[in-house]
Amino acid sequence: MQELVAKIDGMIENIERVVVGKRKEIELSLVALFAGGHVLLEDVPGVGKTVMVKAIARSLGADFKRIQFTPDLLPSDVTGVSIYNQQIQQFEFRAGPIMANIVLADEINRTSPKTQAALLESLEEGSVTVDGDTLSLPSPFFVMATQNPVEYAGTYPLPEAQLDRFLLKIELGYPTAEEELEVLRRVEFGHPVDAVEAVMSIEDVLDIQKRTAGILVDEQVKGYIISLVQATRKHAAVELGVSPRGAIALMKAAQAYALLKGRDFVLPDDVKHLAEWTMSHRMILSPEAKMSNVEVKSIVNEILGQVRVPVTGDKVATL
């Protein structure tokens, strides 16, 4: 376990050479990767969303593709298309950019719902259907989608069904003055992302994903997750609470986070730490709450303060 944690820490440090001051967000992204999930990065332009995805892909030496979502993008531009080859007189499948280990779905809310829907099967099933044939995607398969929360003209908000497919929703935020100065120093003579080398292999990721699934989750910790999820459905300011898929996502994320921290069991504090990024995008506020400018994050924090944390022994005690 120590050797594995050292390898993960080495990857985080490798990414930090490019992405300054965002260790927590890097860890969260790796949590999603190791849990077999996907990430939605929502923030204003220019804070490093695309750079972070590129740095993760380069650190793995993985097959990386970028899809720039635009209003005229078609589903076949994402999944691929069958083209008739006159020389051999049969159709040949030409894979779309979704056929990669790591996919950057850039500005996903700028394309039509029909094209957005092309991602649904890939995010949930790890496959795509083209001309009636189901094709498996590479393993591991990890999508990091970005969207701009401030420019809504010409955009198509993601439906709740698609938001629910993302394990985590992360915001990067602006850097501090010191961090921004360090960014300027690093890009003065060329972008550092071009110099990032692989420190982990695809086989390592598959091994970590397998180990993540075996991390112990005590029954009381599972009960704690259920209590949090149920509390979202009963809150007066919430019209639609977290789904059962959200409860599964929170558990899987907690397993990956525990492994990342070098443990073979999940603590309640792991669940508390990940609740905001796992549950917030799965909740729909009531019209009254929206008019009062209530934030989903504040409701999640309120629920975390109200639901009792289990304490039963060393392996499930809070830190």
Side-chain angles (χ1 to χ4, degrees):
M1 178 68 79
Q2 291 181 348
E3 181 181 347
L4 185 63
V5 172
K7 188 173 289 188
I8 295 172
D9 286 341
M11 181 174 177
I12 293 173
E13 291 171 4
N14 199 49
I15 298 169
E16 283 186 309
R17 295 175 184 173
V18 180
V19 184
V20 180
K22 301 298 178 184
R23 187 178 183 90
K24 178 180 67 177
E25 289 76 11
I26 294 170
E27 287 186 349
L28 289 171
S29 299
L30 295 184
V31 161
L33 172 62
F34 298 153
H38 309 282
V39 172
L40 177 62
L41 285 169
E42 183 178 81
D43 219 317
V44 296
V47 294
K49 300 187 295 295
T50 302
V51 170
M52 186 168 77
V53 182
K54 287 183 177 180
I56 291 174
R58 284 179 173 266
S59 295
L60 292 175
D63 184 19
F64 169 73
K65 295 289 175 63
R66 174 179 178 174
I67 308 173
Q68 184 65 51
F69 282 82
T70 56
D72 59 347
L73 195 73
L74 299 175
S76 58
D77 296 327
V78 175
T79 61
V81 64
S82 293
I83 298 178
Y84 188 74
N85 188 326
Q86 292 184 346
Q87 292 181 342
I88 61 176
Q89 295 187 349
Q90 63 182 23
F91 283 93
E92 289 182 332
F93 175 68
R94 293 190 180 179
I98 200 69
M99 295 288 184
N101 294 119
I102 297 182
V103 177
L104 169 59
D106 214 359
E107 295 190 287
I108 190 175
N109 58 330
R110 291 204 176 277
T111 196
S112 67
K114 185 176 182 180
T115 304
Q116 289 175 0
L119 281 176
L120 287 178
E121 182 184 2
S122 62
L123 292 177
E124 187 66 19
E125 304 295 337
S127 62
V128 294
T129 301
V130 180
D131 295 334
D133 295 326
T134 300
L135 306 172
S136 297
L137 293 169
S139 185
F141 173 65
F142 180 50
V143 173
M144 295 189 76
T146 72
Q147 67 175 2
N148 182 352
V150 295
E151 292 181 3
Y152 293 105
T155 63
Y156 303 86
L158 295 179
E160 285 70 27
Q162 190 162 336
L163 282 173
D164 205 26
R165 260 67 175 186
F166 291 99
L167 188 80
L168 303 174
K169 180 182 175 184
I170 305 173
E171 298 174 0
L172 292 182
Y174 285 117
T176 63
E178 293 77 13
E179 291 168 350
E180 199 158 8
L181 180 60
E182 180 61 25
V183 170
L184 295 183
R185 292 189 182 121
R186 295 188 185 186
V187 302
E188 187 174 1
F189 301 105
H191 207 293
V193 74
D194 298 328
V196 174
E197 296 182 354
V199 296
M200 191 181 289
S201 67
I202 292 299
E203 290 72 23
D204 290 329
V205 175
L206 293 174
D207 178 55
I208 293 173
Q209 288 181 339
K210 185 177 179 180
R211 293 194 185 203
T212 296
I215 298 295
L216 174 66
V217 185
D218 186 86
E219 287 299 311
Q220 293 200 46
V221 176
K222 292 176 184 174
Y224 179 52
I225 293 172
I226 296 303
S227 296
L228 292 174
V229 168
Q230 297 250 335
T232 66
R233 302 169 192 166
K234 300 174 183 177
H235 198 284
V238 178
E239 186 173 276
L240 184 66
V242 177
S243 67
R245 184 189 284 129
I248 295 171
L250 183 52
M251 184 183 74
K252 288 185 177 296
Q255 287 177 298
Y257 187 73
L259 183 141
L260 189 142
K261 294 301 179 181
R263 286 181 272 105
D264 60 359
F265 57 91
V266 174
L267 294 172
D269 275 4
D270 298 334
V271 176
K272 290 183 68 174
H273 176 71
L274 295 164
E276 175 185 322
W277 297 284
T278 309
M279 299 200 304
S280 295
H281 61 292
R282 292 181 162 92
M283 298 165 58
I284 299 178
L285 298 181
S286 65
E288 295 78 13
K290 291 178 181 177
M291 290 182 65
S292 300
N293 294 321
V294 175
E295 293 188 356
V296 177
K297 292 180 182 179
S298 65
I299 295 176
V300 173
N301 290 327
E302 179 185 333
I303 290 172
L304 288 173
Q306 294 174 346
V307 176
R308 179 182 175 274
V309 180
V311 181
T312 60
D314 292 340
K315 285 204 170 184
V316 290
T318 54
L319 293 173

